[in-house]
Structure formats: structure tokens, C-alpha cells
Amino acid sequence: MEAPPVDTRSLRLATPATHRPFRTAAVLGAGTMGAQIAAHLANIGLDVHLLDIADSDGKDPDAIVKQQFKQTQKTKPDPFFTDEVADRITLGNFDDHFERLADVDWIIEAVVERLDIKQQVMARVEATARPDAVISTNTSGIPIHEITEGRTEDFKRRFLGTHFFNPPRYLKLLELIPTPDTAPDVLERVAQFGRLHLGKGIVVAKDVPYFVGNRIGTYAMFRAMRYFTDGDYTIEEIDALTGPLVGHPKSATFRTADVVGLDVLRDVAKNLYEKLPEDESRDAFDIPDLLDALLDDGRKGAKTRAGFYKKVDGEIRSVNPETLNYESPEAKDLPALNDVKKAGGLQERLRALFEAEGRAGDFFRETTLDLLAYSARRIPEITDSPADVDRAIRWGFAWELGPFQIWDTLGFEAVREAMAAHDLALPGWVDTMASAGNTTFYRTREGAQQVYVPTAGGYIADAPPADQIDLPAIKTETTNVLWENADAALLDLGDGVALYEFRSKSNSLGSEVMGGLHEVLDKVENDPDLRGLVIGNEGKNFSVGANLGEVAMGAAQGEFDQIERFLKRFQDVVQRIRYAEKPVVVAVHQRVLGGGCEMAMACPNPVASAETYMGLVELGVGLIPAGTGSTLLATRAAAQSPNGNPSEIQPWLRKYFEQIAMAEVAESARQAQQMHYLSDNARIVMDDNRRLYVAKEEVLRLSNEGYLPPPVSTRVKVLGRPALAAMKVGAQQYLQGGYISAYDAYLAEELAYVLAGGNLSHPQEVHEEYLLELEREVFMRLLGEEKTQQRIMHILEHNKPLRN
């Protein structure tokens, strides 16, 4: 029996604080998924119990769960925001600690994929859990409703599927699968908690094998693989055609398979083939002989360091399907790729590839048309809305566009005609849609996005939730653009709040961006209708730092006076962010490096996406942080001292010195707080789509309270020569240990000069302007060094640091 229709839009748009959040949880099963789900629950502050079977052979019954948890702590990428998060997880076993389930709000089952075992576990859960506890399963291959067979009606009403994608911290998708018995308020509670607190994108799927994401994503992967196993394309050619060129991750097809695990991939395909007898395209899930051969030889992918790829003598080689030996990559026979790459952005590249002649165009047309037709045929079997298919693929497989967005990009009728030419069957609802004169799956009406849903007989609203800012919609109204130049714009977010958005390449901070920000701050402070400013954007990264291209060009032309003036302006603008008369909130996400990091450090009330990677990495290009970063850390070192004693300040100076000297980058917003790149009062947002909304609300809150900027740091305790000598010794120890080069050591000593407050004979108090002058002095001195200029040019040309 199918679950009743669910208004998935209402779940996505649910307003905050309508349901109680979970505070405690138990995860049953400490394997790869179970342990990482537990880690992510702990990341957001839950107390978590992680249980697995008892070790009957050893002296320690918890040996199994301890070993699995230890492995999780070594996993890369790190499932934990900080090392301390792991302390929120209490380990145990099913024999001795099952009664702990009586004290938790949410129980997630993640044991082995066997129906009989899951049913046995659920019987024990029902006998132990609180009557108001929510229970869910993380299965992807077993029908959800079968797991609750034999359970009471009360148990069934608070049970559902919660399918996390691996790794749970990093992949946004959370599929929720209600049964016909699941209570609507239980589904709503989990959906709201998943979105607001876990940072997940919610897709409500039907109880069919592998739900939405894996059904479509696995199909696409296996179809592409066949062009290698059954065709004449090489592994490298297919990965080139299914990677960033078409908006997919760098791991593309075969690297993704290796990372997922060839054993896991085979199990998924086997289950899909067996459980989908009525799927007209089930042959796509028939396991290729090559996959069996690799697994028979113990090659499981990344976990065994051999799969479709293997690193041999420092070279990445791919498997020969005949000999199973690994061979160096051959030259790609894809001459059309150069023209496609030059076409422009993603949509332009997709259109160019769709029209391209030769092997590249043939592969893209055949695989894409097949996938789009298959996706259309799966509606309404797996979900009712094309938008949910797109979201599942974007959030679960990290594609930039989902299948129906790709279809719209290529042209509705052009794709239909090409499908007909390739004898690809389409469901009747697509013809019905076309006969009504509809030629896109998505459309905009009165500034709001809509999506065509066949079960609704037409278009329905598909706008972002109320606690998200629809920036593309804002940009469509010219009246919302308050100011702009070539690299930035000031946009009206409403309610007296403006957004300063970078638009430069990689959101780098060049003269247009920083000069524009100076002008915009004047406007905000002098406009009585503006209450404050948000600095943020929706780019891939907040900012990779200063525009090194401008710096390199100026240095090459000997325009050092002009560079120094720009540096002074840069510092002044960052200082204005800190001391502005109205609230300025810097809202960061993803990579926040160099000058971008300095902006966030200066901001008294920043907002950060949980997945924010911050650092002062200037030494990698032969410079020091000179956009107030070195000054701020010297100031913070002094502020950490309760009594102003040098012995209290020195350990903090050493910590900050080592962070910058080793170009350490925080691996989460929480870690950025520990490193003092973000203030302790920073608002951390789990769902990045809510970041600008939260930043706007922060501006309004500060304004409503009666905002006053922080006082200027006029008395900063610096330690002078004693601290400088200690940091120089540290640099030499790193040099002697082989961790840094001689030039790195020189740069570190120059950094130490600023952090110590220069060559002062003894500790004393200085004005922050004194430290800012030291920053500029050292920066300009280093910029004149040949090795620094070599480093700058190398990173501009190769996008990799040079250690000279």
C-alpha cells in the first residue's frame, strides 16, 4: 500500500520553531553510515548514543563499536566539526546498553541490510523506547513498511525512513520516506529538524527501491560505464565528459565509483535489478563483468587503493578491461572539448556539447537523452515532482543541475525531437504538458518560480522557504539594485537592509570590490532608510582573498606606491567594517581565505555557514596578512590575557604565529571559532541557503537593540624582542625539521616581527594603527622580493603554491 500524498512543498517551507527540536539521539549500528550519522548529530550539539553488537569473543563487549568509532575518527574528509565533538557520543553495545534508548528523543537504525535483523531490532526498540520517541531507519534498499511488520499502530505512526547520503556531514540530501501509517506531524518534525538543524535539503520520496537519488544517480553512472565496458570510450574520456565540464563533481563517473566502493556499487545494482522487475530499463543495473572481475580480485576501489584507478609509481593509471592491469592514460580522442570549454558558463557548455559533432557530442547526447527520458518515466513512481528529482540529484550527487533543469537548458522541444530520433520512450504526461503549450518544466510568474507537476495537472509554486532569500528573484527587479560597478553590486533585501555582493572572478578582492565597498559604506551610513549592511554572496566561495593578478601586474610595472595606497585603502575598508556606525554583518561560506578571512575577523557580528573553511594563507604566496589580519590576532592575543602578563600573552601569540606560518585552514566554522578567525558570538548556520536570511535578521536585531560599534583598540599590549626571539626560534625548529623551506622561515620571521609589535626592547602598549603600519611595511618589503614574486606568478599560472 502506498503512503498518502504528501505536500512536499509545505515541508520545505515549514517555518522555524513549529516543532520541538531533538536533543538526544541513539544510532543503532556503528558501521560507516551509522557512525557518521552519529557524528553529524553530535556536530549540532545532540547527546548521542552509538550502539552496535557486543563482542562475544573478547574481554571487552564494546570492542566492536570502539574499533568502528576509532576508524570514523580517522575518516577523511573529517565527519566532525572539531575534535571535541566526539566527546558527545557515548559508545555501547546491544546486550548491555539497549536500555539507554528509553531516554532519547530520536532513534535511528543503521544495522546490516537484512530485513529479518531489522525487524528483530525494531521489536526491541518498541519494548524500550519512550512512547513519544521518533524511530527511523536509514535503509536504502529494503521497503520501509516491511521493517515495521508486527509492530503496533502507535509504533508505526512515529516511524519513517530517513535516508542520509554518504558522507552525511557533507552531502546535503536527506530523503524522508513515510509509510501509510506515519503521522504527518512526525514527518513534519523530522523535516523541519533536518533542514534547520542538520542543514539538509529535504526530499520526500515514495517507498520504492532506492527512493529518488540513488535510483536516478545510479542509473546515470551505470549507463556511462557501459560506454567503457561495452563501447570504445576510455575511462579517462568518460570522466572528462562526466565531470566539471557538465556540472558534475571532479570525481565524475569512475573516480566516484572507486570512492563509493565497488562492492557497495555492486550491491546497489544487484538489489535494483532484483527489485525492479517492472522497470523497463532494469538492464541498466545488470552488473558489468568487469566490476565482478575487479571485486573477485579484491579490488574495491579507494578502500583497497585499487579499483578502476590505481596510483602506480606516482602516476594515476586506469584498469585495462582485458588484462586487469593498470596502464598509463592514453591521449583523449575528444577534439570538440576545447571549443566546448570556451563556450562559457555551464548552460552554454551543455548546449555546445549537445550540438557538438564527433565522439564527445555523441556520448553526451546519447547518455543525456537516455537519462532525461528515464527520469521522466519515473514520475510519478518515485516522486510526483520533477523538482524533487532535480533536488535529489543536486544534493545527493553534487550535480549543479538536475535532469529536468538540464532538459530546460537544452530546450524542451529540441530534446523531445532528439529523443524521438533515438527511439526513447516518454511517459504520456510529457506529451500532455506539450500539447497544452508548455515548453519548460520550470517557469517564473510574477517573480516566483513554478514547476510543472503532472499529478497536479499543471504548474505549482516552487519558491524558496520564507527563511531563505531568493537572490535571483531580487536581481530580476532593477529597482533592487541600489549601486553597482564592474565587480560588485549593492542590492536591496528589504526592511532597510542592503547586501553588498562581490561579482569578481573567484570573488577576489581587487580595487573595484574594495573601492566599491568603501563607497557603499558611505551610502549605508548616510542613508536614513538603510538600517545596516550584509556583505555576502552565493558564489562557489565567499572569497579566495585579494586579487593577486592586480598585485602581480603592479609589481611587474614597478608601481609599488600605487600598491601601497591600495593596501592602505584595503585596511581602511576592513576597519570600517569593524567600526561602522550601523550594523555590518559579513556572511561567509565555503572558502574564506586571506582578505576574505580578514573581513570576517574584523566583523563584530559575523554569520557563517557551518561548512566554512577559513584561513590566513598569505605566506604561501610570499606575503603576510596585511589587511588587518596580523593586527587583529596580535590584539586578540593580548585580550586573552586576564592580567596583561607577557607569560599569559605569549602562548596565544605562538598559537596564532604557527597558524599563519603553516597556512592552517579551519575545516569548519566551529573550528574557525577555536582558531579565532570567527568570534565566539558568530551565528553559525547549518543550511547555507539560510545564511543571507540569518545575516539580514542579525542586522535588524542589532539595529533594533540600538547599535554601537566596538571601541577602537588604542592600548594593545605587544611583547617586542622577547616574543620575537621566541617565534624566530620556532621558525628555525620548523626549518631544521624539514617542515618548511629557508624562504618560509624568512617569511615566518617577518610575520613574527609584526605579531611581536616590531623591534621594541620590552613589552608595552601600542595603538592598533601602529600595528597596521607594521603590516604595510613588511608586506611591501616582501613584495619586492624575487622569490615572493615567483610565488605569486606560480599560483596565478598553476593554481598551486610554490615552495621555493
Side-chain angles (χ1 to χ4, degrees), residues 714-770:
T714 58
R715 299 172 63 184
V716 181
K717 185 71 168 285
V718 295
L719 303 186
R721 291 177 193 165
L724 177 57
M727 286 185 276
K728 284 185 174 181
V729 168
Q732 289 302 311
Q733 289 174 340
Y734 276 111
L735 176 61
Q736 292 168 10
Y739 298 106
I740 60 176
S741 68
Y743 195 62
D744 288 325
Y746 167 68
L747 295 171
E749 291 179 0
E750 291 289 274
L751 169 66
Y753 178 79
V754 178
L755 292 177
N759 195 30
L760 301 176
S761 60
H762 62 277
Q764 55 188 280
E765 292 180 342
V766 300
H767 195 288
E768 64 180 12
E769 283 296 331
Y770 168 80

Side-chain angles (χ1 to χ4, degrees), residues 1-7 178-182 184 187 204-206 384:
M1 182 173 62
E2 187 177 288
V6 175
D7 182 0
T179 74
D181 301 302
T182 304
L187 178 62
V204 179
K206 298 185 180 181
D384 292 328

Side-chain angles (χ1 to χ4, degrees), residues 284-349:
F285 304 111
D286 193 11
I287 299 165
D289 292 340
L290 175 60
L291 190 57
D292 280 330
L294 290 171
L295 286 168
D296 289 345
D297 195 42
R299 308 184 206 180
K300 298 180 180 180
K303 68 184 80 173
T304 59
R305 300 185 179 182
F308 289 112
Y309 287 103
K310 182 179 180 180
K311 191 172 185 178
V312 180
D313 296 331
E315 180 186 45
I316 303 297
R317 300 178 184 177
S318 58
V319 69
N320 181 312
E322 302 297 331
T323 65
L324 298 188
N325 294 326
Y326 291 92
E327 301 176 352
S328 299
E330 301 175 4
K332 300 182 186 72
D333 182 18
L334 302 171
L337 283 196
N338 288 332
D339 289 337
V340 172
K341 290 176 181 177
K342 296 175 184 176
L346 175 59
Q347 292 188 333
E348 289 76 19
R349 295 198 304 273

Side-chain angles (χ1 to χ4, degrees), residues 406-686:
I406 294 172
W407 194 328
D408 276 355
T409 296
L410 299 178
F412 182 78
E413 287 300 335
V415 169
R416 286 184 73 216
E417 292 173 5
M419 287 177 175
H422 284 76
D423 294 322
L424 293 170
L426 283 172
W429 68 264
V430 175
D431 293 330
T432 301
M433 173 182 167
S435 64
N438 299 311
T439 57
T440 58
F441 295 99
Y442 295 91
R443 70 180 189 184
T444 300
R445 290 292 183 271
E446 298 180 357
Q449 180 171 281
Q450 299 177 338
V451 63
Y452 187 90
V453 177
T455 53
Y459 290 91
I460 67 170
D462 191 53
D467 60 353
Q468 294 180 15
I469 288 178
D470 190 352
L471 207 54
I474 289 174
K475 293 178 184 178
T476 60
E477 298 292 334
T478 57
T479 55
N480 289 329
V481 181
L482 305 178
W483 173 98
E484 65 181 330
N485 67 13
D487 285 345
L490 185 69
L491 304 174
D492 185 0
L493 297 182
D495 301 315
V497 180
L499 169 72
Y500 188 70
E501 179 189 55
F502 312 150
R503 295 178 175 178
S504 54
K505 183 178 180 181
S506 300
N507 287 334
S508 61
L509 306 176
S511 56
E512 289 286 305
V513 172
M514 299 307 291
L517 182 52
H518 183 82
E519 189 175 338
V520 160
L521 286 166
D522 282 340
K523 179 178 178 61
V524 171
E525 289 189 329
N526 293 303
D527 188 337
D529 293 328
L530 290 177
R531 302 175 65 184
L533 177 70
V534 174
I535 300 175
N537 58 74
E538 292 186 335
K540 182 178 179 181
N541 300 298
F542 173 77
S543 176
V544 297
N547 187 330
L548 287 177
E550 287 185 2
V551 174
M553 183 178 296
Q557 295 174 353
E559 297 174 345
F560 290 98
D561 289 343
Q562 184 173 333
I563 294 173
E564 187 167 8
R565 286 194 296 272
F566 169 73
L567 179 58
K568 178 65 166 65
R569 170 60 67 90
F570 196 109
Q571 290 180 330
D572 290 344
V573 171
V574 175
Q575 288 287 85
R576 289 196 65 186
I577 291 173
R578 184 166 185 78
Y579 298 122
E581 296 173 0
K582 293 180 181 179
V584 175
V585 173
V586 178
V588 298
H589 69 291
Q590 289 296 311
R591 289 199 294 170
V592 187
L593 305 178
C597 181
E598 289 170 313
M599 279 188 178
M601 290 171 64
C603 180
N605 299 279
V607 169
S609 170
E611 297 302 334
T612 293
Y613 315 113
M614 298 182 68
L616 298 174
V617 296
E618 286 85 348
L619 265 70
V621 291
L623 299 167
I624 67 160
T628 78
S630 298
T631 296
L632 282 167
L633 287 182
T635 303
R636 288 178 184 177
Q640 299 298 322
S641 165
N643 302 302
N645 294 330
S647 62
E648 297 170 337
I649 299 173
Q650 180 65 41
W652 290 101
L653 271 184
R654 181 179 179 85
K655 169 184 169 68
Y656 299 147
F657 169 71
E658 291 177 350
Q659 281 180 195
I660 302 174
M662 301 304 293
E664 294 179 7
V665 175
E667 295 182 357
S668 70
R670 291 294 181 196
Q671 192 175 57
Q673 287 180 310
Q674 292 182 341
M675 298 170 73
H676 291 169
Y677 290 148
L678 279 176
S679 61
D680 290 340
N681 68 318
R683 301 294 177 116
I684 296 179
V685 184
M686 291 299 296

Side-chain angles (χ1 to χ4, degrees), residues 94-109:
F94 291 168
D95 290 354
D96 300 321
H97 306 116
F98 211 83
E99 74 281 355
R100 294 180 189 167
L101 273 59
D103 299 321
V104 303
D105 301 330
W106 185 10
I107 300 167
I108 303 173
E109 172 272 306

Side-chain angles (χ1 to χ4, degrees), residues 682-694:
R683 301 294 177 116
I684 296 179
V685 184
M686 291 299 296
D687 181 359
D688 185 62
N689 290 329
R690 301 183 64 242
R691 173 174 45 88
L692 296 181
Y693 169 84
V694 172

